[in-house]
Amino acid sequence: MYEGFLPTTKKEMDDLGIEQFDYIYITGDAYVDHPSFGAAIVTRLIESMGFSIGIISQPDWHTDRDFRRFGAPKYAFLVTAGNIDSMVAHYTAAKRKRSDDAYTAGGAAGKRPDRAVIVYCQKLREYFGNVPVIIGGLEASLRRFAHYDYWDDAVRPSVLVDSGADLLMYGMGEHQIQELCTRLAKGENIHEIHDIRGTCYLTEPVNTPLGAAQCPSFEQVRDSKPEYAKAVKIQYDWQDEVYGKTIIQRHGRMMLVQLPPAYSLTTEELDHIYSLPYTRAIHPSYEALGGVPGIEEVRFSITHNRGCFGYCNFCSIALHQGRRITVRSVESVLAEAERITKMPDFKGYIHDVGGPTADFRRPSCDKQLSKGLCMGKKCLAPKPCPALKVDHTEYLSMLRKIRKVKGVKKVFIRSGIRYDYLIEDKDDEFMKELIMHHVSGQLKVAPEHCSAVVLDKMGKPHIEAYKRFQKRFYEITKGMGKEQYLVPYLMSSHPGSTLNEAIDLALFLKENKIRPEQVQDFYPTPGTISTAMFYTELDPYTMEKVYVPKTPKEKAMQRALLQYFLPKNKEIVLEALRAAGRRDLIGTSPKCLVADDNRGQGNNPRKGGDRPWQNTSKTRKASSGPQAKNTGSTKGRSSSFGNSQKSGTRNGQNGKRKH
């Protein structure tokens, strides 16, 4: 294996005596060799198998210079847009151009093209003809079927069709890439490798495998919203590694074939992945440009699990990473903690020990190991399943051991804690130690809304679970003599939310003395159930009509209602209340949200004992991303070619909050 970073220049290639790389990896991100980034995991894994690999990071797509840097690979080009969907990286939920990019040196925007996977692949075809091209990562994974594209406001075909690539890897990519590399080295033709789980390919309809679940075709879902909703349900229903089926979808004269998901990595396999010789740093070429913002919080973070059975409708994890929980061994996590303590700039603080959901260390129930996760059902919503098994014992034991590692002063948990799971634990021991040792003044949790109507469309538990958790959190905190607070993430304008639901949420915030500094609008990102609702105005699981706030005016009203206390929002809040027929909430009495003159309580954002420090629902592009950016989280991690091991998704995939 190489010592230090993998080669990125022709000089490094020549210095290593390599005449032709086996694989060339092209990414829309800056090169960061850290296991929180899928690019690092995939390239290190390929290297560990004995193959040579070169990295082309953020190639200039206006010229052939970067693409031709190494010549053609022996086996294949591997292409990813990077840690997040390139359109999410470039545009806000309001479709405004972003001014920064957390995965680019210096945070500079514009270093990757829109729809990067398509652009990169088309350039490779132009310059290298029929050299095999394989795509993966979040952008490819979540666009593998015909999908609604928010930025075009139209249904686009599978990215495999638009890109012209030979094969698409979806989900976590380690098993797929290992099998593919082995078989290509044996001389198999990429066009004949049609049996690797976790991949998609195009074929003539006559070659369609038997027994597959068929979605309505691209043409049908493009032209009919009910057909689109039906297709999304099929795609989610059969997304299980135990009972999942091959899924097919006709695209013109070709058939898109998605094979069942790859099997989750075992604990031993995960341990191996995290033992590879990462430098845990950005490439030195970026130092003079100010570094890469996306690494700052995860530099000293540890991923201990994968998957999430929370299964929120706006989150991409179920369709990409999967609902089954897999974990690293405690020994592997401790070994990584010890490696972190030896890093020259380590100050004693481990920023996170988490994953998509930090406190999941076991399946939600035992039967899913042999039967799979229940089709169309959720383990925690609207109420916890009777079969749910809640156990924080191993996670707590692991945290205690990390705290004892020499050089560690403090261990924080910054990725998502599922409060609805935690509050079901009959033993308070974990919650007490969480509050005592692992909260840095504020604990971020995600009730998202208070309306049962909206929460049902989100796939989230009802607000009573949050109230129970909030009550117990403050009881324990007060009992310890500590001053710590909950920071609840909230979302405006999700499908199902009318102005009345937004007003209910504003009243809930007022009652609980919560004043969010920032609010996130629902962002319709590719592939999620919530995005299907946004586009079709139908619930894919009931085919019932769903109210969807779509106009900029109504979205602005709903967002402003969650910050009713800000003077700048006064007029739009007044307009929203009048439009909803809620003039009873206009005035100076304690029940009102906003005054009707300049002397009302709504004009002093710190009046009335509310907590102005409470920071809710940032657009966290660490993602989002997946995109302040919540790069301190290790959520939503994925590795198929190059999603951030932290970005993947809430609200799609932006590295924004998910749970």
Side-chain angles (χ1 to χ4, degrees):
M1 295 187 185
Y2 306 127
E3 292 186 5
F5 293 88
L6 300 177
T8 62
T9 67
K10 184 64 166 63
K11 182 180 184 303
E12 291 170 338
M13 180 184 182
D14 293 340
D15 290 345
L16 290 166
I18 298 174
E19 294 185 3
Q20 182 183 30
F21 282 118
D22 294 323
Y23 293 93
I24 296 174
Y25 185 97
I26 297 179
T27 174
D29 288 340
Y31 174 30
V32 179
D33 187 35
H34 187 285
S36 282
F37 296 78
I41 286 181
V42 171
T43 53
R44 286 292 182 187
L45 181 58
I46 291 173
E47 178 209 13
S48 74
M49 296 176 68
F51 296 101
S52 61
I53 184 165
I55 296 177
I56 300 176
S57 172
Q58 297 187 319
D60 181 355
W61 65 99
H62 301 99
T63 173
D64 65 350
R65 182 184 63 251
D66 290 335
F67 292 96
R68 293 186 185 276
R69 181 184 305 163
F70 299 131
K74 181 177 181 180
Y75 296 118
F77 285 104
L78 309 176
V79 177
T80 174
N83 294 341
I84 56 175
D85 188 282
S86 57
M87 301 302 286
V88 176
H90 288 169
Y91 302 97
T92 69
K95 299 185 183 180
R96 297 191 184 96
K97 195 80 170 180
R98 296 189 192 276
S99 59
D100 61 353
D101 186 334
Y103 293 113
T104 297
K111 294 297 184 180
R112 74 186 99 205
D114 285 358
R115 312 189 193 289
V117 167
I118 295 173
V119 173
Y120 293 160
C121 289
Q122 289 175 344
K123 294 297 180 183
L124 292 173
R125 284 285 178 246
E126 179 183 350
Y127 304 142
F128 296 98
N130 292 324
V131 174
V133 176
I134 302 159
I135 58 177
L138 202 65
E139 180 164 300
S141 186
L142 296 182
R143 294 176 180 265
R144 60 190 186 263
F145 294 105
H147 56 280
Y148 172 70
D149 184 275
Y150 176 59
W151 305 273
D152 277 356
D153 191 23
V155 175
R156 294 180 65 98
S158 167
V159 69
L160 192 55
V161 172
D162 276 345
S163 68
D166 297 297
L167 196 70
L168 183 155
M169 292 187 180
Y170 71 90
M172 312 303 285
E174 292 97 341
H175 281 158
Q176 299 96 303
I177 200 68
Q178 286 177 293
E179 184 172 353
L180 186 67
C181 287
T182 300
R183 292 172 64 171
L184 290 177
K186 291 179 178 179
E188 291 191 45
N189 189 319
I190 187 70
H191 302 294
E192 297 175 358
I193 300 178
H194 291 167
D195 58 351
I196 299 178
R197 294 178 69 111
T199 65
C200 301
Y201 63 91
L202 291 167
T203 189
E204 294 183 355
V206 68
N207 299 321
T208 302
L210 299 176
Q214 184 161 6
C215 290
S217 70
F218 161 62
E219 290 77 12
Q220 288 174 309
V221 301
R222 179 194 62 195
D223 299 336
S224 168
K225 291 183 177 181
E227 292 300 296
Y228 186 97
K230 292 175 186 176
V232 168
K233 181 178 184 297
I234 291 168
Q235 292 155 20
Y236 273 85
D237 278 353
W238 296 110
Q239 183 68 20
D240 188 274
E241 64 183 80
V242 176
Y243 59 76
K245 287 185 177 183
T246 294
I247 304 174
I248 58 176
Q249 185 177 49
R250 185 83 176 247
H251 280 64
R253 292 179 296 175
M254 300 297 286
M255 186 68 78
L256 173 73
V257 179
Q258 177 197 274
L259 296 171
Y263 293 115
S264 299
L265 269 64
T266 64
T267 292
E268 292 73 22
E269 289 170 330
L270 275 174
D271 287 355
H272 171 66
I273 291 297
Y274 285 91
S275 71
L276 296 173
Y278 308 100
T279 62
R280 301 185 70 91
I282 63 170
H283 193 273
S285 62
Y286 305 133
E287 294 290 353
L289 300 173
V292 179
I295 195 178
E296 290 310 312
E297 286 297 321
V298 299
R299 187 193 303 271
F300 306 119
S301 295
I302 300 172
T303 304
H304 75 90
N305 66 5
R306 283 186 179 178
C308 180
F309 54 75
Y311 194 13
C312 301
N313 289 341
F314 50 74
C315 179
S316 64
I317 292 175
L319 193 63
H320 178 68
Q321 192 171 141
R323 293 192 286 159
R324 181 172 174 176
I325 303 299
T326 56
V327 299
R328 294 168 61 186
S329 69
V330 174
E331 292 73 21
S332 171
V333 171
L334 288 172
E336 184 171 355
E338 290 173 356
R339 288 195 294 273
I340 288 174
T341 64
K342 294 177 174 59
M343 293 173 66
D345 48 354
F346 180 65
K347 305 298 184 185
Y349 301 97
I350 291 180
H351 294 160
D352 191 28
V353 181
T357 293
D359 53 330
F360 288 173
R361 283 287 296 179
R362 54 156 290 124
S364 55
C365 69
D366 294 332
K367 76 170 188 176
Q368 64 190 245
L369 297 177
S370 59
K371 303 294 185 182
L373 285 109
C374 296
M375 183 185 292
K377 296 182 179 179
K378 301 182 186 296
C379 302
L380 291 163
K383 293 182 179 179
C385 173
L388 180 71
K389 290 195 173 182
V390 181
D391 188 352
H392 289 92
T393 305
E394 187 176 62
Y395 187 44
L396 178 57
S397 173
M398 182 172 68
L399 290 171
R400 288 170 174 169
K401 290 176 181 178
I402 297 171
R403 296 202 306 260
K404 292 180 180 179
V405 171
K406 185 178 179 181
V408 173
K409 298 176 182 178
K410 190 83 172 177
V411 180
F412 296 111
I413 299 173
R414 292 181 177 172
S415 53
I417 288 285
R418 283 297 298 225
Y419 66 84
D420 48 340
Y421 179 77
L422 175 53
I423 200 61
E424 295 298 319
D425 195 338
K426 295 178 173 58
D427 188 341
D428 269 350
E429 194 170 14
F430 172 70
M431 192 166 180
K432 289 176 179 176
E433 292 204 20
L434 170 70
I435 293 169
M436 175 60 73
H437 297 290
H438 304 292
V439 177
S440 57
Q442 301 177 6
L443 177 64
K444 299 172 183 176
V445 290
E448 303 295 358
H449 214 282
C450 69
S451 164
V453 172
V454 181
L455 290 168
D456 285 344
K457 297 308 177 190
M458 291 179 166
K460 295 285 291 185
H462 290 181
I463 197 62
E464 287 73 21
Y466 176 74
K467 289 179 177 178
R468 285 174 56 210
F469 175 78
Q470 177 181 253
K471 181 175 182 291
R472 189 63 185 133
F473 176 88
Y474 285 117
E475 286 174 350
I476 295 174
T477 300
K478 183 179 179 181
M480 292 179 175
K482 298 174 74 71
E483 186 175 355
Q484 296 188 146
Y485 304 99
L486 294 176
V487 180
Y489 291 149
L490 304 170
M491 188 188 299
S492 63
S493 300
H494 188 276
S497 179
T498 67
L499 272 180
N500 286 326
E501 275 75 39
I503 291 168
D504 287 346
L505 183 52
L507 292 170
F508 172 82
L509 296 176
K510 181 178 177 65
E511 178 185 355
N512 287 273
K513 296 181 171 59
I514 299 169
R515 294 198 162 184
E517 293 176 2
Q518 289 184 304
V519 174
Q520 174 166 337
D521 283 345
F522 167 66
Y523 199 158
T525 51
T528 71
I529 295 172
S530 293
T531 295
M533 292 185 202
F534 176 88
Y535 170 58
T536 66
E537 300 181 31
L538 297 169
D539 184 328
Y541 278 85
T542 65
M543 296 305 288
E544 295 175 350
K545 289 285 292 181
V546 178
Y547 179 82
V548 179
K550 289 189 175 182
T551 67
K553 182 69 170 181
E554 182 173 1
K555 287 183 178 182
M557 285 181 176
Q558 292 209 23
R559 183 171 58 251
L561 280 163
L562 305 193
Q563 296 176 306
Y564 64 89
F565 48 86
L566 294 179
K568 68 177 184 179
N569 288 341
K570 178 180 177 181
E571 292 305 319
I572 192 168
V573 170
L574 284 169
E575 185 177 358
L577 293 174
R578 290 169 184 147
R582 294 303 305 271
R583 293 175 182 271
D584 59 304
L585 299 177
I586 300 171
T588 57
S589 72
K591 72 170 187 175
C592 293
L593 289 176
V594 64
D596 54 6
D597 58 43
N598 292 327
R599 297 184 299 276
Q601 74 178 69
N603 294 314
N604 183 355
R606 293 180 182 265
K607 183 178 179 180
D610 292 359
R611 300 170 185 143
W613 38 259
Q614 294 227 4
N615 177 18
T616 302
S617 295
K618 291 184 179 180
T619 298
R620 286 168 294 290
K621 166 185 154 193
S623 297
S624 89
Q627 28 160 274
K629 301 176 178 86
N630 184 14
T631 53
S633 155
T634 48
K635 305 178 189 177
R637 310 203 164 181
S638 57
S639 64
S640 112
F641 277 25
N643 301 345
S644 164
Q645 282 288 296
K646 83 175 256 151
S647 66
T649 122
R650 135 188 179 107
N651 205 7
Q653 62 241 314
N654 347 353
K656 301 174 184 171
R657 71 223 192 225
K658 289 176 275 299
H659 306 295

